[in-house]
Amino acid sequence: MFRAILLMGLISSSAHGDLAGIWRGFYETPSGLAAMELSFRRKGSAWKAEFTATEVDGENTFSIRNLKISETEVSFITGDDREGGQMQCSGRFSGARLEGTFEMLHNGKGAYQGLWSTKRVTRTLGIPKPGSPVSPAGVSPRSQASRQPAVDLVAELPSPAGSLPVGRTTFFWKDSTGLETMTDDPNDCRELMVSLWYPAEWEGDITPALYFPHFDLLRTSSSVALPRSLNAHAFEKVLPSQVRQRFPVLLFSHGLGENTARYSSILEELASHGYVVAAIDHSYDNQGTVFPDGRILRLSDRWGRAFSGSQREQERFIIERLSVLVTDVSFVLNRLEELNSEEAGMFNGKLDMSHVGFFGHSLGGAIAPLVCQKDGRFKACLNMDGMPTSHVLIFDPALRLERPFMFLTEKPWPTELELERRALTRPEYEERDRARRRRMYHLLDTLNTESYVVLISGADHSSFSDNPLLASNTLSSSERNQRLLQIIRDYTRAFFDRYFVSHGDSLLDSPLTGPPEVTVERFGARVGP
């Protein structure tokens, strides 16, 4: 939340007489509709006003400059362009509402534009703690869970739903041409651990692989629990399946501070349906890496320093790291091509290098459009809830995105109190938020290929990993998190199946037959297979 005190200059007595009072409503952000409140008070010939908005980074106070009020219009500037950004607002009276447009500036450049809208109210609600999302039925699943007694519940991950057994093997690869920028030694090269999850042959009485190898070396006080069995559903270093000559290939990048093991449920699901998934542990950007020689690398403290600085410094560092991750992905694809051509290797000819896709979560998801822009070998890309900067999509402006793209994300479902704070009914909220998304993702409509934005009610940022299920401490929360995880698995596979397996109807083409938690929105041109 930030609370901004608007200190106004003298305004002539001809200023709009109906302005005084409290105006409550919302302003658009890349991730949703944020609550705002304007309070105007007149003292003699001067106005004093207060602007309050809900943000995720605590309470901040800004001065407001250049307030201008006429009979029909209002404009002002708030924020600090050197820190969190500067917001330039203009609006007009429209019936019972005061509403208009704004531009958010970061580092003197426009980050995004949006609408704001307020309605006069008679009382102040104050700023509550962030509410919990609720289900379409209007019941908060988290509040239900909180009323249930906690139990000593250690979950198991759901089994893969595909017909094929899953194998897993891990490689250590060193990019001798890629310098490691996270160390002080200018001669250090980029080193990565990459795990392959793949359709496997059933070899009788074999033992499942460990869920999280080297967990005891990498765990922290905040680490989520492991599955009760400590095992994955995959089997270590078994032979690839012979049911098909070759399989489409997907590359995966994790979120900041995570490890690929924490996405095992999604990776195993894809492999059981016939995909080879190369999951990259990005050194210094993950929780930690243990190399074959015993060296341990952990999340770089440069991330902490970046996030303790200004927003400008944060975004500069994030963009630099995104470029490194994109380079990692192309390097790994090069090594997979070599692996596929090793005559004596177990993966010789098993990888269909004409059908290659990319997906990632959070920081790893944000690079999805860049991967497809910069490396033409990738035929489709998917971002799982990755929005680490103020931009909803991160593109290289010098290049076009010519590949199908999907953004799989959470859908806010505000409580009744949160709706009241935005001065909206639920139908009004749905309509306004849908219009916001069309504007925020308007670039996708300019592409010559189809794109999707898929929203899941009840999900949050961590739902795209195994963590919420493994951290569940009630039966209802475990069931809810398992359902959300299965929805995410289904839509991830539906996207890649559309381009790599079957071009027929899928969940993406029949939104009315999908789960009630899911909203599918289409952008761009449909170019077919």
Side-chain angles (χ1 to χ4, degrees):
M1 171 185 70
F2 69 80
R3 182 177 297 272
I5 307 300
L6 317 187
L7 300 178
M8 314 309 177
L10 295 179
I11 304 295
S12 69
S13 59
S14 63
H16 199 288
D18 292 334
L19 182 64
I22 298 172
W23 300 78
R24 185 179 302 136
F26 68 89
Y27 67 99
E28 297 178 341
T29 74
S31 58
L33 305 180
M36 64 177 288
E37 188 173 283
L38 290 169
S39 173
F40 293 95
R41 300 186 301 278
R42 190 169 185 171
K43 291 188 176 182
S45 59
W47 286 87
K48 186 176 182 180
E50 187 177 77
F51 174 84
T52 306
T54 301
E55 293 286 293
V56 297
D57 54 353
E59 184 170 332
N60 302 286
T61 301
F62 301 91
S63 62
I64 295 293
R65 306 171 298 283
N66 297 357
L67 176 74
K68 298 178 182 178
I69 305 174
S70 72
E71 288 291 332
T72 59
E73 298 180 349
V74 174
S75 65
F76 57 86
I77 299 174
T78 185
D80 186 344
D81 186 41
R82 295 169 299 176
E83 297 295 334
Q86 179 174 278
M87 193 173 178
Q88 298 181 345
C89 303
S90 62
R92 60 188 304 109
F93 297 93
S94 177
R97 287 190 171 271
L98 174 60
E99 56 189 9
T101 62
F102 72 90
E103 182 175 21
M104 184 67 74
L105 302 178
H106 288 158
N107 308 328
K109 299 180 180 179
Y112 61 89
Q113 298 176 337
L115 304 181
W116 62 275
S117 178
T118 59
K119 186 177 182 180
R120 189 192 303 275
V121 295
T122 58
R123 65 188 182 94
T124 301
L125 292 175
I127 299 295
K129 294 181 180 179
S132 299
V134 297
S135 67
V139 179
S140 169
R142 288 184 176 83
S143 65
Q144 280 188 324
S146 66
R147 293 195 295 268
Q148 298 181 0
V151 296
D152 185 16
L153 178 66
V154 181
E156 288 289 356
L157 296 180
S159 299
S163 61
L164 300 174
V166 177
R168 188 187 73 190
T169 189
T170 303
F171 297 91
F172 165 68
W173 286 332
K174 183 174 182 177
D175 184 0
S176 59
T177 65
L179 298 180
E180 180 54 77
T181 59
M182 284 293 206
T183 65
D184 296 327
D185 189 339
N187 297 315
D188 282 348
C189 293
R190 193 82 171 132
E191 297 176 294
L192 301 171
M193 298 299 294
V194 179
S195 296
L196 256 62
W197 308 75
Y198 55 93
E201 282 291 294
W202 183 256
E203 298 182 357
D205 188 18
I206 51 179
T207 303
L210 284 175
Y211 170 75
F212 195 148
H214 308 300
F215 176 74
D216 288 340
L217 296 176
L218 299 176
R219 70 185 305 169
T220 66
S221 58
S222 60
S223 292
V224 176
L226 300 178
R228 182 171 55 251
S229 67
L230 304 181
N231 292 329
H233 294 289
F235 300 94
E236 199 75 39
K237 297 182 180 179
V238 293
L239 292 175
S241 173
Q242 299 299 315
V243 298
R244 291 205 297 272
Q245 181 177 354
R246 55 184 184 169
F247 300 93
V249 178
L250 303 176
L251 277 71
F252 173 79
S253 290
H254 55 76
L256 177 63
E258 278 296 354
N259 276 65
T260 57
R262 291 298 189 182
Y263 301 88
S264 293
S265 179
I266 295 173
L267 306 181
E268 290 175 341
E269 176 78 357
L270 290 165
S272 76
H273 285 279
Y275 288 92
V276 174
V277 186
I280 308 167
D281 268 302
H282 297 277
S283 301
Y284 297 108
D285 304 300
N286 63 350
Q287 180 182 349
T289 300
V290 180
F291 289 125
D293 61 6
R295 286 178 298 137
I296 300 176
L297 303 183
R298 300 187 185 277
L299 178 68
S300 173
D301 58 6
R302 296 189 184 185
W303 277 107
R305 293 201 296 270
F307 280 107
S308 65
S310 67
Q311 182 161 346
R312 176 183 300 182
E313 293 168 334
Q314 292 176 29
E315 293 213 355
R316 182 189 303 118
F317 185 77
I318 289 171
I319 295 300
E320 290 174 357
R321 293 311 298 169
L322 293 181
S323 178
V324 172
L325 267 58
V326 171
T327 301
D328 285 348
V329 171
S330 287
F331 163 71
V332 169
L333 186 54
N334 292 341
R335 296 307 301 262
L336 291 175
E337 289 180 334
E338 296 173 8
L339 192 69
N340 197 44
S341 61
E342 291 180 0
E343 293 186 4
M346 62 186 288
F347 292 100
N348 179 36
K350 301 303 294 183
L351 311 183
D352 183 355
M353 304 309 294
S354 65
H355 290 90
V356 179
F358 173 83
F359 70 115
H361 173 232
S362 192
L363 186 75
I367 67 173
L370 292 170
V371 167
C372 277
Q373 280 186 301
K374 293 178 177 293
D375 194 327
R377 294 173 294 178
F378 289 91
K379 301 301 191 293
C381 48
L382 188 160
N383 177 355
M384 290 178 166
D385 210 37
M387 198 186 302
T389 71
S390 57
H391 300 277
V392 293
L393 298 170
I394 300 176
F395 289 97
D396 184 334
L399 301 172
R400 283 185 60 82
L401 179 62
E402 303 287 354
R403 304 302 191 194
F405 169 77
M406 187 166 90
F407 187 46
L408 186 59
T409 187
E410 57 198 279
K411 182 180 182 181
W413 190 268
T415 64
E416 293 303 316
L417 177 59
E418 289 167 336
L419 288 172
E420 186 177 358
R421 288 187 45 74
R422 289 156 176 78
L424 294 171
T425 64
R426 192 167 298 281
E428 288 172 337
Y429 178 93
E430 290 290 319
E431 180 181 356
R432 294 272 193 167
D433 198 40
R434 187 181 305 111
R436 174 196 65 83
R437 291 193 297 272
R438 298 305 304 191
R439 284 190 295 274
M440 289 290 180
Y441 294 100
H442 71 279
L443 183 60
L444 296 179
D445 274 327
T446 68
L447 305 180
N448 293 326
T449 186
E450 58 193 340
S451 297
Y452 302 89
V453 175
V454 177
L455 304 106
I456 305 173
S457 294
D460 61 29
H461 190 60
S462 65
S463 298
F464 300 85
S465 70
D466 300 336
N467 290 343
L469 178 58
L470 294 177
S472 299
N473 63 354
T474 66
L475 291 176
S476 64
S477 65
S478 178
E479 291 170 355
R480 182 184 72 252
N481 288 323
Q482 183 162 332
R483 175 174 172 80
L484 289 171
L485 188 56
Q486 187 58 51
I487 289 172
I488 291 166
R489 299 200 309 182
D490 289 343
Y491 278 85
T492 299
R493 184 167 64 88
F495 175 69
F496 289 115
D497 277 358
R498 177 166 183 77
Y499 303 103
F500 297 160
V501 178
S502 171
H503 300 292
D505 289 343
S506 71
L507 287 171
L508 298 174
D509 300 300
S510 306
L512 296 180
T513 63
E517 297 95 333
V518 177
T519 300
V520 177
E521 297 181 352
R522 299 186 59 169
F523 295 78
R526 180 166 184 168
V527 297

